[in-house]
Amino acid sequence: MNAQEVIEAEERYILRTYLRPAPVLERGEGMHLFDTEGQRYLDFAAGIAVAALGHSDPQWAAVVAKQAARLTHVSNLYYTAPQVELARRLVEASFADKVFFCNTGTEANEGAIKFARKFAASQGRPGRALVAFQGAFHGRTCGALSMTHKVAYREPFEPLLPEVRFAPFNDLEAAARVIDDGVCAVFVEPVQGEGGVRPATAEFLQGLRRLCDAHGALLVFDEVQCGLGRTGQLWAYQGYGVEPDLLTLAKPLAGGLPIGAILLRQAVAAEIGPGDHGSTFAAGPVVCAAACHVFDRVSEPDFLGRVAAAGERLRQGLTTALGEGATVRGRGLLVGVEVDRPVAPWIEAARQRGLLVISAGPNILRLCPPLIATDEDIDTAVEILATSWREVP
Ligand code: PLP
């Protein structure tokens, strides 16, 4: 099929829930994607912060091919070794004692809601309310959607979960007004992604920890977008001096294959038993072999140091190149640029010049490249963004 045929067939056969730009992507190599016309793009979107090792990394692809040729799927009714090897890595490198595997970010948050409720019930606590924050994005299935702040995403599907309380992000006093003994869990992204690339302050997350402890609520960090190396630390929470009770994880973990995970403390894990939750596909041998490979490379101190340095270079480069009209923020290689007008024309102009970037709200550009971005890639992206910024109205 040529590009036009793909676009026409999509219109004919696929439910229209996405608005996509014209190129039909066909192949990836490291930091680059290629379309059916042979046009090359420098990818600063990474499939929405997923492709941590870039596209079609040869070692990653070899691990996937080898495991696929050996064993792909048996369901969670049976033991398989790659799943255990991945769980061991996640537990040994984090605050957690146990892992539950699923397939996506929204599923991870969905599971965290169930675990928080069962934990509250097991402690004889009456409260089942959930707290989330303005700008939060936790997913699109009904539980996670109930805690996703954007009204347009939620309203058509109401009624959703009852008793979800939203408070302004980074406002501890406001949080204190909604966190009481009726709350079983507080969900927060240490760096909000979809909501505009907004890092939490240390005071905010530390204050949430104190409020949760005071009221017996669980603190859940949603690191689906900001976790696993993206901030330049393995876990975003490590930059804040505060640990959660549960942590949800997904996007980059298997380097492009679908996986989600919930990391749990023992106190919560102890209350969850066989039959409480499950998934047919979760953490099959191929996806876990891939994830072990991603984890081993991303968790190397040199790799993480390089992400931190790359992020610094990207933020400084953008601040210098774009000047006063733009506010640059973020952590590591999760960077947002807020401007005073819609960014859609800017994104299109950058694409015409061979750079893929995405938005995080109408007037916020989001840069979340593969974590392997070199200084040269970063300088190229900054140059294209500066040039295309001058071209757009
Ligand atoms: N949580 C956060 C912080 C996210 O950024 C996303 C997706 O963008 C999700 C949850 C949902 O993940 P998924 O799209 O894999 O369901």
Side-chain angles (χ1 to χ4, degrees):
M1 278 203 244
N2 66 30
Q4 196 49 38
E5 286 166 344
V6 170
I7 291 165
E8 282 169 15
E10 124 122 30
E11 203 167 317
R12 166 83 180 77
Y13 296 113
I14 296 183
L15 186 65
R16 196 149 180 76
T17 60
Y18 303 104
L19 294 171
R20 315 187 216 254
V24 175
L25 300 172
E26 189 174 53
R27 187 168 70 80
E29 197 181 314
M31 287 293 298
H32 292 98
L33 289 166
F34 298 81
D35 70 14
T36 45
E37 315 294 300
Q39 168 78 41
R40 188 176 88 145
Y41 302 93
L42 180 61
D43 181 14
F44 265 55
I48 325 183
V50 167
L53 301 179
H55 298 283
S56 303
D57 176 86
Q59 291 174 51
W60 175 90
V63 167
V64 170
K66 191 172 165 201
Q67 184 59 52
R70 197 173 160 81
L71 185 67
T72 296
H73 176 81
V74 294
S75 87
N76 281 298
L77 297 178
Y78 302 99
Y79 289 110
T80 50
Q83 186 178 114
V84 179
E85 285 171 13
L86 178 60
R88 178 172 53 75
R89 283 168 168 80
L90 295 172
V91 165
E92 287 180 355
S94 74
F95 73 96
D97 301 297
K98 288 276 162 52
V99 181
F100 174 85
F101 287 116
C102 51
N103 305 282
T104 63
T106 199
E107 267 184 65
N109 288 321
E110 212 69 39
I113 294 170
K114 285 180 69 176
F115 296 162
R117 285 185 160 184
K118 180 130 195 256
F119 179 72
S122 72
Q123 308 299 297
R125 292 166 41 80
R128 297 293 178 272
L130 299 163
V131 168
F133 295 95
Q134 290 175 7
F137 186 93
H138 294 298
R140 292 180 180 271
T141 52
C142 287
L145 182 60
S146 308
M147 304 186 301
T148 288
H149 183 245
K150 196 168 164 181
V151 175
Y153 289 163
R154 270 187 294 126
E155 224 169 39
F157 309 104
E158 287 176 345
L160 295 168
L161 288 185
E163 289 196 86
V164 177
R165 307 173 185 174
F166 288 102
F169 188 63
N170 274 339
D171 182 340
L172 200 52
E173 280 178 24
R177 285 196 289 274
V178 295
I179 299 173
D180 57 29
D181 289 355
V183 171
C184 71
V186 174
F187 280 71
V188 63
E189 296 158 81
V191 183
Q192 284 192 338
E194 306 294 314
V197 190
R198 294 177 204 279
T201 63
E203 301 74 55
F204 184 59
L205 293 190
Q206 288 166 8
L208 291 182
R209 177 73 275 173
R210 284 194 302 275
L211 287 167
C212 285
D213 290 343
H215 293 285
L218 296 176
L219 182 59
V220 186
F221 285 169
D222 179 341
E223 294 209 10
V224 165
Q225 185 154 167
C226 64
L228 209 82
R230 182 146 297 276
T231 61
Q233 293 186 287
L234 185 58
W235 311 112
Y237 72 77
Q238 289 170 317
Y240 287 97
V242 46
E243 291 184 346
D245 301 300
L246 303 177
L247 181 143
T248 55
L249 182 64
K251 289 178 181 284
L253 181 55
L257 298 179
I259 188 169
I262 307 170
L263 311 191
L264 311 90
R265 280 188 197 285
Q266 179 57 26
V268 184
E271 303 302 338
I272 310 299
D276 278 340
H277 202 29
S279 161
T280 298
F281 279 111
V286 173
V287 82
C288 286
C292 286
H293 180 78
V294 171
F295 186 89
D296 288 344
R297 285 176 57 187
V298 168
S299 59
E300 278 293 322
D302 285 354
F303 188 100
L304 292 167
R306 171 64 216 151
V307 173
E312 189 62 38
R313 186 179 186 97
L314 181 56
R315 285 194 301 278
Q316 273 182 10
L318 289 166
T319 304
T320 309
L322 298 173
E324 277 182 7
T327 305
V328 180
R329 59 175 174 251
R331 290 278 187 282
L333 284 174
L334 181 54
V335 173
V337 184
E338 183 159 359
V339 291
D340 60 359
R341 66 199 82 161
V343 290
W346 192 14
I347 290 173
E348 176 58 20
R351 189 176 64 75
Q352 302 279 352
R353 292 180 168 274
L355 175 71
L356 297 184
V357 290
I358 54 180
S359 64
N363 61 338
I364 299 165
L365 197 72
R366 178 171 25 158
L367 310 173
C368 48
L371 303 182
I372 57 168
T374 63
D375 287 352
E376 196 189 333
D377 296 325
I378 284 165
D379 296 348
T380 303
V382 169
E383 196 184 310
I384 292 176
L385 287 171
T387 310
S388 44
W389 175 241
R390 287 193 289 274
E391 286 167 2
V392 295

